[in-house]
Amino acid sequence: MSIWTGNPTLESIKTMSQGTMLDHIGIEITELGDDYLIGKMPVDHRTVQPARILHGGASVTLAESLGSIGAYLSVDRDKFYTVGLEINANHVRPGTSGFVYGKATPIHQGRTTQIWEIRITNEEGKLVCISRITMAVVKKEHVEKRS
């Protein structure tokens, strides 16, 4: 049974991501399972640090992007909005070339918060980073009143 609301597709996620940080650094959502999503990010001039290894901030960007998209796609988007509250990341090994792949799965999907785990691996399937993000689920009327 799918956790997604509506009928999100890879194409709709790609359209939603145009003109965002995902687009800018080359993050692409590649798979949407019943209860997870997978994305990839290049290890290139946009995502490395001066030592030419994957920048930890780029890994966190991939993790936050996947967790945020997952949370957003799993709520009633006519009534709710999701925003990040906290993210952490443990960098296990350097990314040096090619792509890294992140898989986001929900740990908790409550009425007001969600927690997502994101495992980032290299092309050999070895763990590069593990991250967890906590998302707030906010009623749209609250967001609109602040504007």
Side-chain angles (χ1 to χ4, degrees):
M1 180 157 193
S2 177
I3 63 171
W4 313 121
T5 58
N7 293 308
T9 64
L10 293 177
E11 190 58 38
S12 67
I13 296 169
K14 183 176 182 176
T15 299
M16 178 177 68
S17 301
Q18 289 176 342
T20 68
M21 182 179 285
L22 282 77
D23 193 29
H24 181 68
I25 65 174
I27 293 173
E28 178 185 345
I29 308 306
T30 59
E31 187 175 340
L32 191 62
D34 285 342
D35 64 350
Y36 68 90
L37 68 143
I38 295 175
K40 69 179 185 176
M41 178 177 68
V43 179
D44 66 13
H45 68 280
R46 298 169 291 180
T47 60
V48 297
Q49 57 175 271
R52 301 294 177 237
I53 60 173
L54 184 62
H55 193 290
S59 294
V60 173
T61 298
L62 175 59
E64 181 150 357
S65 298
L66 293 172
S68 294
I69 290 169
Y72 179 70
L73 294 178
S74 67
V75 299
D76 181 341
R77 293 177 293 285
D78 290 332
K79 298 178 182 175
F80 299 97
Y81 191 76
T82 57
V83 293
L85 288 176
E86 187 271 342
I87 189 165
N88 68 49
N90 294 100
H91 306 288
V92 178
R93 73 173 31 85
T96 57
S97 64
F99 287 88
V100 289
Y101 301 86
K103 181 177 182 180
T105 55
I107 296 171
H108 165 74
Q109 291 185 289
R111 187 176 52 82
T112 59
T113 61
Q114 294 187 17
I115 301 170
W116 287 73
E117 177 184 81
I118 303 91
R119 298 179 63 86
I120 299 173
T121 58
N122 62 19
E123 291 181 329
E124 292 78 40
K126 293 181 180 177
L127 188 64
V128 171
C129 177
I130 185 162
S131 181
R132 186 178 64 197
I133 187 168
T134 303
M135 301 293 298
V137 179
V138 181
K139 288 184 181 179
K140 275 199 169 179
E141 63 190 42
H142 293 335
V143 173
E144 292 167 2
K145 286 180 184 177
R146 292 182 188 170
S147 300

